[in-house]
Amino acid sequence: MKMKICGEKQSEHLEATASTMVDPSGVVRDLIAGVTLALTSIPQAVAYAELSGVAGWRGLATMGFPCMAYALVTGSPWASIGVTSITALMARTALADAHEALDEEAYVAVYACFAVAVGVASVALAALGLGGVAVERIPGAVKAGFKLGFGCAVISSQCATALFAGGKKDLAALLAGDDGAFGAAAAALAAFREASPALGGLLAGALPTLRVLYAVCHPASWSPEVVAVASIVLLGTLHGKKLLPRGAPPGVEVLVLVGAAALYSERVGYGGGVVGAPPEGAGGAPWERIVAPWALPWDRLVDLCFGGSFLKLALSAATFAAVDFLQSVSVCSAFESENALSWSPNRELAGQGVASVASGAFLGGPCGASLSRSMLARMTGARSAKAGFVHGAAAVALLPYAAVLKAAPKAALAAVVLAAVGPGVAKPKALLALSGADAAVGWATAAVSVVADPTSGFLAGLALAALLAPFKGKQD
């Protein structure tokens, strides 16, 4: 056994030495890693755009610029940035009123405006040296509970798309026409929110959760074709890597599955919702799409979503930035423990901010670190942040070909998102390991995140952790 281990180590050393001799500066490896990241990120970019409430093609149209901006700031060779399931859902929740009131073009401008606000808040927090606080002071129980609650919220948001031909519209219509307990509960929640908007807002996640429960309890109303597509992509994303050639980079299976689903949709005639083609001119020159941050509709954002108060916007953006930064903490802490790669919390928080501002300038949403893409950057041999810049440049170059995904079923993209969060929801290891006061904080954080929204759950968890701190001390 020892001889085998020594042989493997020697082989790895010889491979690394040979690689260094062939590519001493790491440029080739950065190019390969960057292009691989761009190709394998396409399904996620489209899926998370849908999750955030905008057309899927916009995810591809905007994913490159934050990567290039982040590469100029980050100190990590592997950390990858972009719109993630966390930032997409949190932004959709924060901007729910705008999403309901505006057409897509107007909403996209408000969405981009909020991205800039989050970016500025991130840079401000970093300038104040508060990046280290997220690493040292946020209780682990809050992080664990937030992860579970957020995962449940993501599943709630994608369930209808993965089960019904008309997605959320079909599910809402079915629930509205229900004469049983589900219909009565939905009507009661709607009446409560109309009678007391302030208190009803604290239960923003209750109705989506009720819809999921209704859907699960009424499988006869599902679309067989939609469910079949979603199931194949979900299972393939979770287990398909085993069928790929050894050494294939993570994410290739997702690219293959979504591509196959799009081909099926186009050739056979899929009956569910599809991504759709980008409008003519969407792949034009990047400089033609940039919008100066001060030219974005700040007044509309504040009036529709924050009661006309810029102070509320600032507080919301700062809270969003802090919660979003937990992703960077998770990614960089993993690299620190596994690869002894030191990192600066404030530098990465500032990088998150610069990326979000760049995303907003190109009409994209708030950005956060992606664990899956960061792990892929490490696995494909990235040597420096140049790989992230290549990732962004390659993504921009791919935009003229976005129409290839026009027939991609939304159910397939929903399955990609579900595969990203499903395992953590099915078995929340960190939360199950807690006991006593920590368990109370963790489960309460998760519950509030589901019933209200993830940001409220995070804040509630912090408050409860502070309240129970004295009792935890006695328990210890």
Side-chain angles (χ1 to χ4, degrees), residues 46 49-50 54-62 104-105 275-279 282-283 399 402:
V46 177
E50 295 278 349
V54 301
W57 68 267
R58 294 185 186 274
L60 181 57
T62 59
E104 186 180 352
E105 288 296 329
V275 170
L399 180 57

Side-chain angles (χ1 to χ4, degrees), residues 197-214:
L199 292 176
L202 298 176
L203 298 176
L207 186 56
T209 302
L210 182 66
R211 286 174 178 164
V212 171
L213 294 175
Y214 174 85

Side-chain angles (χ1 to χ4, degrees), residues 47-48 51 84-90 93 146-162 168 208-209 212 413-422 425 449-450 453-454:
Y48 295 152
L51 179 59
T84 66
S85 54
I86 289 180
T87 61
L89 183 63
M90 287 176 57
T93 301
F146 173 80
K147 183 179 180 180
L148 175 61
F150 163 77
C152 291
V154 170
I155 290 175
S156 175
S157 70
Q158 297 299 294
C159 179
T161 306
K168 294 179 181 179
T209 302
V212 171
L413 302 176
V416 173
V417 177
L418 292 173
V421 301
V425 171
S449 296
V450 172
D453 60 77

